[in-house]
Amino acid sequence: MKVTPDSDQRLLILVNEQVTRLCQERDGIRLMEVCGTHTMAISASGIRRAVDPRLKLLSGPGCPVCVTTDAEIDTARQLAERQGLALVTFGDMIRVPGSLGSLAEAKAEGADIRVVYSPQDGLKMAMAEPEKEFVFLGVGFETTAPTVAATVLAAAERRVENFSVLTMFKLIPPALEFIASAKKMKIDGFILPGHVSTIIGSQPYEFLVERFGLPCCITGFEPADILEGILLLLEQLEHGPGLAIQYRRSVRPEGNRVAQQLINDIFEVTDAEWRGIGRIRNSGLKLKPDWQKFDARVRFGLRSARSSRPASGCRCGEVLLGLMIPSECRLFGRVCTPETPKGPCMVSSEGACAAYYRYER
């Protein structure tokens, strides 16, 4: 057990006392953290191992790299193999295996794939090399979409003709609706993401309380934040569901309206494929018709590759739905490690398998 300092220990005691009270009338409690940063923080702080074992903290589909499908990686790889084109992406994406191999393997075979820290870096590259096409891999949730939208606006204002975006964005509330609707998952409450909620606010989650009667708490990322968020959820289990904001130093009920407007100006909602889940209606973003000159799918006539079977034995999909923990996968720690990942949950710095491998073996 690692949870420190003293104030965190006091919260831990309160959490475990509340679990004991609640479990007088139930077998156990299953809470899902819906953010890869939460997953890593819970593992690193030792919270998952320190709480009463009747309280299960399960990882959800909140790591953007992890929920990107094989088919999306295959589409990106096929695009990267075109002559005269550079694919620009965040670092985590480059090692995610698709059915045709990873982007790192494509790069080793000669494809021009460049790692950047922001989409603006990709735009600068396009402006510096006008003879070449640059495609930014638009991966992420509501947190990433505003910066990509701002980059598209900047490209338009500067009349950059050789920059486009391959959109693979996902939206968190529709995924939570899927999980809440699925009886086999049996989730008792959600530790809601702090970063996404900073953008969208708390209002888009209200259906979880109203329709499904599920306790919800938007939580920060320090151990004390997480323990306080868990305690608020346990109190809701005892007294009735609600939607709490523990992370008040960043999240407002209405969210960040400037960022929301940026998203609404450039993107429109579309269906999206999620690894381990499949297609979820209205859970993605694509460029609006007025901005299609920056849409790589339109510019290059791309057809999305069909989803394929994951690597033999890889169970990232079940891990993302809280149906199993990483150490229950027979590949975990044997043939699947951060150096030799078989699935995205081991690749990503926010992936559940990477968190368990680093802190919970």
Side-chain angles (χ1 to χ4, degrees):
M1 187 168 76
K2 184 184 174 183
V3 180
T4 58
D6 290 346
S7 58
D8 299 349
Q9 293 293 343
R10 286 194 290 274
L11 281 168
L12 177 62
I13 291 170
L14 292 173
V15 164
N16 286 338
E17 289 177 347
Q18 187 73 2
V19 171
T20 297
R21 279 196 296 275
L22 288 167
C23 286
Q24 291 175 357
E25 299 179 355
R26 56 195 307 159
D27 294 334
I29 301 163
R30 293 164 56 88
L31 302 180
M32 174 175 278
E33 80 262 7
V34 191
C35 174
T37 308
H38 278 146
T39 295
M40 193 58 71
I42 288 171
S43 291
S45 63
I47 290 175
R48 202 184 319 272
R49 288 160 289 161
V51 296
D52 186 307
R54 290 170 292 185
L55 171 59
K56 303 297 183 188
L57 300 177
L58 304 167
S59 302
C63 158
V65 172
C66 302
V67 298
T68 300
T69 65
D70 287 7
E72 290 172 321
I73 297 297
D74 291 347
T75 299
R77 177 173 170 137
Q78 290 170 351
L79 185 61
E81 290 171 346
R82 295 194 179 204
Q83 292 295 315
L85 185 147
L87 188 74
V88 183
T89 180
F90 295 131
D92 273 4
M93 289 300 301
I94 199 164
R95 296 177 61 228
V96 179
S99 65
L100 305 176
S102 67
L103 295 176
E105 291 169 334
K107 181 178 175 67
E109 294 165 7
D112 188 351
I113 299 174
R114 307 183 191 185
V115 173
V116 294
Y117 291 104
S118 84
Q120 291 283 349
D121 293 338
L123 180 58
K124 290 175 184 175
M125 290 175 183
M127 295 171 67
E129 300 177 58
E131 74 286 356
K132 195 161 198 169
E133 289 283 344
F134 283 79
V135 178
F136 180 75
L137 210 54
V139 174
F141 299 120
E142 292 90 336
T143 42
T144 313
T147 59
V148 176
T151 304
V152 170
L153 278 173
E157 290 170 359
R158 298 170 191 176
R159 301 182 185 279
V160 180
E161 300 293 334
N162 60 328
F163 177 82
S164 58
V165 178
L166 182 58
T167 56
M168 300 177 179
F169 295 112
K170 309 286 192 294
L171 302 175
I172 287 291
L176 298 186
E177 182 177 17
F178 175 88
I179 291 171
S181 303
K183 294 181 180 178
K184 65 179 180 179
M185 293 170 202
K186 298 178 180 175
I187 300 300
D188 295 312
F190 287 111
I191 301 170
L192 293 173
H195 296 144
V196 166
S197 304
T198 298
I199 302 298
I200 67 174
S202 62
Q203 293 164 354
Y205 305 118
E206 288 176 351
F207 72 94
L208 291 168
V209 179
E210 295 168 355
R211 286 173 47 200
F212 298 100
L214 284 170
C216 296
C217 184
I218 299 169
T219 305
F221 301 98
E222 297 298 324
D225 292 329
I226 295 168
L227 286 168
E228 187 177 353
I230 292 170
L231 190 58
L232 290 168
L233 287 170
L234 296 175
E235 289 172 355
Q236 290 181 31
L237 279 173
E238 184 174 19
H239 301 296
L243 175 49
I245 303 177
Q246 184 279 332
Y247 197 32
R248 288 193 174 277
R249 59 186 184 274
S250 181
V251 177
R252 303 284 182 275
E254 70 277 12
N256 184 325
R257 287 179 172 154
V258 174
Q260 292 168 19
Q261 191 61 53
L262 267 174
I263 294 174
N264 294 334
D265 286 345
I266 302 299
F267 298 114
E268 62 185 15
V269 172
T270 186
D271 298 344
E273 294 276 345
W274 295 61
R275 185 184 293 261
I277 296 177
R279 182 170 291 263
I280 300 179
R281 190 167 176 269
N282 294 331
S283 69
L285 293 173
K286 66 178 183 180
L287 288 151
K288 285 183 172 179
D290 288 348
W291 301 96
Q292 282 189 348
K293 65 179 293 187
F294 298 103
D295 188 333
R297 295 181 195 279
V298 175
R299 184 188 291 249
F300 300 104
L302 296 177
R303 289 184 178 179
S304 294
R306 290 187 177 276
S307 294
S308 56
R309 290 182 298 176
S312 178
C314 176
R315 302 182 72 179
C316 278
E318 291 157 271
V319 170
L320 290 168
L321 293 175
L323 296 174
M324 64 182 295
I325 62 173
S327 55
E328 293 173 339
C329 174
R330 65 183 178 83
L331 304 184
F332 177 81
R334 298 182 178 87
V335 296
C336 183
T337 70
E339 290 72 34
T340 57
K342 301 302 179 186
C345 296
M346 187 63 87
V347 173
S348 172
S349 59
E350 295 188 342
C353 296
Y356 274 72
Y357 186 88
R358 185 171 179 183
Y359 299 111
E360 303 198 42
R361 285 190 293 161

